[in-house]
Amino acid sequence: MKKNQISIVFKSFFVILAVLFSNSGKAQQNYVIDNSNHFWDKVQFGGGLGLGFGSGYTNISVMPSAIYNINPIVSVGAGLQFGYLYQKNYYESFVWGGSAIVLVNPIPQVQLSAELEQVRVDTQYEQYYNQPSYSDSYWNTALYLGAGYRTGNVTIGGRYDVLYNPNKSLYGSGFMPFVRVYF
């Protein structure tokens, strides 16, 4: 009788193990590895164009950029910047460089951003009254922290350069409004 009890216990144990392994084997058979590349599905392109004309003044800028959406909340990206500024009888300036950006959307309507911008500024100043003409070339670094209202692919907001120095900065103010569009 003791042999029958041991035999029943082993048979029951064997049946339970067989059922467990058959279910896990079945799960492994249904598991499909997805090797397709979804990288480009998560990339968005955008940027900015700037045109400003006035009495003897010209400002043209082109700023293409791209972001990669890591998930619905966080995106990272990079951009380029090219600009031309001209003030009649005063100066002509060429600006070029790049930037890296991180976007965080804690809720779909709010976008927070941090952008590190590094641009080269090459300016030629014309002779002005008794001042001789001269040139100035330097690198300008800016770290913008910003926030905006987001609807669809468009974000409208403001950003502030925490490294802003009125004596060295490329821009006249540390605060800048923006419209950001990515497709």
Side-chain angles (χ1 to χ4, degrees):
M1 190 145 197
K2 224 174 186 185
K3 272 188 175 182
N4 276 344
Q5 285 178 343
I6 293 173
S7 177
I8 291 171
V9 170
F10 276 120
K11 286 180 183 177
S12 300
F13 186 67
F14 178 73
V15 169
I16 291 170
L17 286 176
V19 169
L20 287 174
F21 282 116
S22 67
N23 282 341
S24 67
K26 184 177 180 183
Q28 288 176 353
Q29 290 173 353
N30 289 337
Y31 181 71
V32 177
I33 297 174
D34 185 7
N35 286 329
S36 60
N37 187 357
H38 296 289
F39 176 83
W40 292 109
D41 293 340
K42 295 182 178 185
V43 174
Q44 290 181 282
F45 296 97
L49 293 173
L51 293 173
F53 298 100
S55 178
Y57 177 79
T58 303
N59 180 355
I60 301 170
S61 59
V62 178
M63 299 161 287
S65 64
I67 59 170
Y68 176 77
N69 298 302
I70 295 171
N71 57 45
I73 297 171
V74 179
S75 302
V76 295
L80 298 173
Q81 180 173 340
F82 305 97
Y84 172 76
L85 292 97
Y86 174 77
Q87 177 68 51
K88 185 178 179 181
N89 298 326
Y90 185 52
Y91 72 90
E92 181 178 43
S93 184
F94 294 93
V95 178
W96 55 274
S99 65
I101 190 167
V102 175
L103 304 174
V104 177
N105 303 299
I107 60 174
Q109 297 82 11
V110 174
Q111 185 175 86
L112 305 175
S113 62
E115 183 174 8
L116 180 64
E117 177 184 89
Q118 178 76 42
V119 293
R120 177 72 176 183
V121 181
D122 296 315
T123 304
Q124 178 66 42
Y125 294 92
E126 297 179 15
Q127 183 176 356
Y128 186 71
Y129 292 108
N130 294 331
Q131 300 293 326
S133 64
Y134 67 97
S135 62
D136 188 17
S137 296
Y138 62 94
W139 286 98
N140 185 70
T141 303
L143 176 59
Y144 294 102
L145 300 180
Y149 173 75
R150 180 178 163 215
T151 177
N153 294 338
V154 179
T155 304
I156 299 170
R159 61 186 191 164
Y160 182 76
D161 179 6
V162 296
L163 303 177
Y164 179 73
N165 179 339
N167 298 321
K168 295 183 180 180
S169 181
L170 171 65
Y171 306 107
S173 171
F175 177 77
M176 299 178 96
F178 68 83
V179 176
R180 188 178 289 137
V181 180
Y182 285 104
F183 300 98

